[in-house]
């Protein structure tokens, strides 16, 4: 899988400067979503893996029972007491069959995890690539449970351990012992399934530190919507119901939500963000590639292939399909309307067909990065975190933004 990914990056992913489009095989969408590939020209900084040995006594294990892991690059200088904790993304498994498969991959077993990972974008150690967080302690917690670090159950017959909540706690405890308890500043971030995990665990993260510590959260591509799909159903709600039920996640979801809504509804950020007390920044594309492909117009809801070309390439969408996708954008803007009124929260919703922008160097901070009002994502997040400026940036509707790095699928 790893080799296939890099082969795809080398020969299957073509960057076209004049339209800022990236091409990737449709079957590789899950790999894109899981890995958030860097397209930086410079050789990325590689950071080795740390297996969390103390997790065994806590029963904090991956789907296959192996120990969880993280990658840690220690901060220095002015960033020595500042911590960025990044929760890895990579989809979910919603039934025994998909979870059994998942445990044969790096998303379900530390046996298959890369021994080192590139730290790019918000994880970069280069001030020219990551001006505000380059010298912080930067950590990527690996994702091997399949329920955004929330499950706590097991299926003995299938030899599956659903221990995402325990993994989260074990990793955080280990990092606290390595100096994070002394943090003066802390930021929890994540992309996609990790962006959802960031929302779910944001207030827990805040609770780890004294009141004087500046603690905030950044969710990238984690604003999954309970939207109506092209067949008039709710594909993602049905999928999330399987995740929450199978993995026993309900007891670990925010009680501010579960005290009045069903557990599956409380896996959707639109029912969570209003009650999060910790400052939160939502970074999302208005036309999220993953949601278009897997939630709004999945092949299962499009038996005659009407959406096939549009699903792969936004430029091939018909007028009525674009109108449908504008409805999705309107849903997203309605969801964040109340959230954006809070002075402590931040927002950057650009009108791109993409997914995950904080961990890729080309979209986080580069010469041709996406911008809203001439401000790149890295600068918007930094302005918000350090209170340099209020950031409530919402792009004009497609196709007005010519700075997007659209994803086009073959």
């Amino acid at each position: 899988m790893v080799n296939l990914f890099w082969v795809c990056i080398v020969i299957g992913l073509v960057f076209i400067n004049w339209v800022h489009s990236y091409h990737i095989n449709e079957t590789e969408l899950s790999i894109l979503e899981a890995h958030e590939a860097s397209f930086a020209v410079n050789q990325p900084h590689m950071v080795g893996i740390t297996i969390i040995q103390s997790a065994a006594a806590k029963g904090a294990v991956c789907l296959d029972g192996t120990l969880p892991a993280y990658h840690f690059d220690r901060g220095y200088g002015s960033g020595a007491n500042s911590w960025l904790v990044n929760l890895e993304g990579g989809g979910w498994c919603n039934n025994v069959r998909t979870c059994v498969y998942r445990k044969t991959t790096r998303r379900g077993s530390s046996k298959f995890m890369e021994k080192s990972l590139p730290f790019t974008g918000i994880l970069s150690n280069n001030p020219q690539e990551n001006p505000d967080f380059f010298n912080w302690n930067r950590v990527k917690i690996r994702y091997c449970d399949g329920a955004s670090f929330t499950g706590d159950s097991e299926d003995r017959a299938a030899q599956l351990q659903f221990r995402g909540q325990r993994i989260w706690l074990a990793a955080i405890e280990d990092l606290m012992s390595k100096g994070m308890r002394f943090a003066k500043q802390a930021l929890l971030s994540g992309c996609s399934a990790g962006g959802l995990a960031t929302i779910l665990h944001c207030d827990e993260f805040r609770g780890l530190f004294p009141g004087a510590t500046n603690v905030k959260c950044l969710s990238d591509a984690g604003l999954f919507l309970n939207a109506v799909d092209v067949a008039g159903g709710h594909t993602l709600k049905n999928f999330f119901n399987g995740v929450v039920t199978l993995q026993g996640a309900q007891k670990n979801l925010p009680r501010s939500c579960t005290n009045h809504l069903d557990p599956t509804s409380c896996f959707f950020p639109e029912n969570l963000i209003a009650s999060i007390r910790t400052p939160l920044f939502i970074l999302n594309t208005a036309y999220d590639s993953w949601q278009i492909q897997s939630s709004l117009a999945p092949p299962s809801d499009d038996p005659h292939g009407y959406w096939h070309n549009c699903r792969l390439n936004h430029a091939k969408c018909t007028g009525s399909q674009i109108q449908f996708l504008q409805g999705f954008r309107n849903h997203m803007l309605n969801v964040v309307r109340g959230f954006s009124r809070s002075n402590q929260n931040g927002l950057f919703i650009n009108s791109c067909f993409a997914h995950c922008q904080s961990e890729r160097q080309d979209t986080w901070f580069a010469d041709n990065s996406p911008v809203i009002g001439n401000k790149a994502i890295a600068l918007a997040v930094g302005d918000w975190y350090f209170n340099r400026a209020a950031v409530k940036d919402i792009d004009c509707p497609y196709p007005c933004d010519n700075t997007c790095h659209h994803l086009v699928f073959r």
Side-chain angles (χ1 to χ4, degrees):
M1 183 73 80
V2 177
N3 291 336
L4 175 62
F5 170 79
W6 287 114
V7 169
C8 184
I9 292 301
V10 173
I11 65 175
L13 210 55
V14 181
F15 175 46
I16 306 174
N17 284 293
W18 56 89
V19 294
H20 298 314
S21 293
Y22 294 87
H23 294 252
I24 190 166
N25 295 334
E26 181 181 15
T27 54
E28 299 306 317
L29 179 62
S30 62
I31 299 176
L32 162 80
E33 190 266 340
H35 213 297
E36 294 85 57
S38 166
F39 300 98
V41 175
N42 298 329
Q43 185 68 27
H45 177 52
M46 303 299 291
V47 177
I49 197 168
T50 298
I51 301 296
I52 309 172
Q53 300 294 339
S54 60
K58 303 174 179 67
V61 293
C62 299
L63 286 171
D64 71 336
T66 54
L67 292 175
Y70 58 72
H71 300 251
F72 175 30
D73 198 29
R74 190 167 286 281
Y76 61 92
S78 62
N81 287 320
S82 299
W83 288 73
L84 170 63
V85 177
N86 178 274
L87 300 177
E88 185 179 36
W92 308 268
C93 59
N94 68 325
N95 55 41
V96 169
R97 180 184 60 81
T98 54
C99 290
V100 166
Y101 170 75
R102 190 180 178 96
K103 74 176 183 176
T104 66
T105 75
R106 66 182 185 277
R107 296 288 169 249
S109 171
S110 57
K111 286 191 300 186
F112 303 107
M113 290 177 183
E114 303 91 330
K115 301 308 179 194
S116 62
L117 281 183
F119 269 29
T120 59
I122 196 171
L123 293 171
S124 172
N125 68 340
N126 185 339
Q128 295 179 320
E129 298 176 344
N130 187 25
D132 283 310
F133 307 106
F134 71 94
N135 64 348
W136 285 32
N137 296 280
R138 287 155 290 106
V139 184
K140 178 181 278 290
I141 301 177
R142 300 303 298 266
Y143 180 37
C144 64
D145 65 278
S148 288
F149 297 91
T150 62
D152 195 7
S153 183
E154 65 180 336
D155 185 324
R156 292 184 181 179
Q159 296 182 311
L160 288 167
Q161 293 289 322
F162 306 121
R163 304 299 184 187
Q165 178 71 19
R166 298 189 191 192
I167 291 171
W168 153 258
L169 293 172
I172 290 298
E173 183 177 313
D174 201 60
L175 293 170
M176 295 294 272
S177 73
K178 292 184 175 178
M180 192 167 73
R181 68 185 182 277
F182 302 119
K184 303 300 184 188
Q185 302 179 114
L187 177 63
L188 180 67
S189 76
C191 160
S192 195
L196 172 57
T198 296
I199 292 171
L200 290 165
H201 290 292
C202 183
D203 283 340
E204 280 182 77
F205 189 68
R206 161 71 270 186
L208 297 169
F209 302 97
T213 305
N214 185 22
V215 182
K216 299 186 180 184
C217 305
L218 163 64
S219 173
D220 177 11
L223 193 59
F224 296 96
L225 302 181
N226 184 14
V228 177
D229 58 43
V230 297
H234 287 81
T235 296
L236 193 54
K237 184 171 186 178
N238 294 335
F239 183 88
F240 277 175
N241 182 62
V243 175
V244 171
T245 303
L246 176 71
Q247 299 222 21
Q250 55 270 18
K251 56 184 171 288
N252 296 315
L253 300 177
R255 296 211 176 134
S256 58
C257 181
T258 56
N259 63 13
H260 68 282
L261 291 176
D262 64 274
T264 301
S265 294
C266 295
F267 211 65
F268 280 99
E270 61 198 85
N271 299 316
L272 300 170
I273 57 176
S275 59
I276 292 176
R277 300 181 302 278
T278 308
L280 172 64
F281 192 104
I282 290 178
L283 165 62
N284 231 91
T285 56
Y287 313 96
D288 184 274
S289 294
W290 190 94
Q291 293 191 66
I292 291 172
Q293 294 226 357
S294 301
S295 171
L296 291 181
S300 59
D301 287 341
D302 184 33
H304 302 295
Y306 174 66
W307 277 85
H308 176 76
N309 290 335
C310 177
R311 189 167 58 242
L312 300 182
N313 184 350
H314 62 280
K316 295 182 178 180
C317 296
T318 66
S320 62
Q321 288 171 332
I322 290 294
Q323 188 174 2
F324 181 87
L325 296 176
Q326 299 294 17
F328 177 76
R329 174 181 178 271
N330 290 338
H331 182 168
M332 185 177 293
L333 297 188
N334 286 335
V335 163
V336 300
R337 182 169 287 117
F339 167 87
S340 67
R341 293 194 190 106
S342 170
N343 291 332
Q344 70 177 12
N345 294 331
L347 200 61
F348 192 104
I349 296 183
N350 52 342
S351 292
C352 307
F353 288 78
H355 183 71
C356 291
Q357 300 180 97
S358 64
E359 297 168 37
R360 279 175 45 181
Q361 195 59 55
D362 67 296
T363 48
W364 175 247
F365 194 61
D367 290 342
N368 63 347
S369 291
V371 298
I372 299 178
N374 295 320
K375 184 177 288 187
I377 294 167
L379 300 181
V381 172
D383 283 352
W384 163 79
Y385 185 88
F386 295 102
N387 299 316
R388 295 190 296 243
V391 181
K392 305 288 173 63
D393 294 334
I394 297 177
D395 215 350
C396 47
Y398 173 83
C400 70
D401 189 340
N402 62 5
T403 70
C404 288
H405 290 198
H406 298 301
L407 294 173
V408 175
F409 300 84
R410 289 196 172 118

